[in-house]
Amino acid sequence: AVFIGVATGVWAVAADSAVLVQEASALKSLGLRYGAAWTPPGETQAWRMDCSNTARHLMRRTRGIELPRTASD
């Protein structure tokens, strides 16, 4: 399971690791460096690809879960 902390508590999300690894590999193949600007599919503005946005993108793509950018959002 993948555990995600959120302001209202902790969610446990059953993760099919193969799908998560496949999506992470696809993201890696783009060759983005830490902090690089990248516009994910369906977005109109670029994201800075740090740890938060990487997790955000992977959870959106593999689980359909929209995470906030930061814990205070």
Side-chain angles (χ1 to χ4, degrees):
V2 174
F3 293 94
I4 305 167
V6 294
T8 59
V10 176
W11 294 346
V13 180
D16 173 4
S17 60
V19 172
L20 186 59
V21 168
Q22 179 181 1
E23 217 34 69
S25 295
L27 189 58
K28 180 183 176 186
S29 73
L30 298 175
L32 300 171
R33 295 210 177 267
Y34 186 87
W38 177 64
T39 305
E43 292 292 324
T44 57
Q45 293 185 340
W47 293 7
R48 291 283 170 202
M49 292 309 288
D50 57 10
C51 299
S52 296
N53 276 334
T54 299
R56 185 176 165 207
H57 175 71
L58 290 173
M59 292 311 296
R60 175 191 282 179
R61 295 281 297 170
T62 62
R63 301 289 163 252
I65 297 173
E66 290 294 329
L67 297 176
R69 168 69 180 96
T70 65
S72 61
D73 285 350

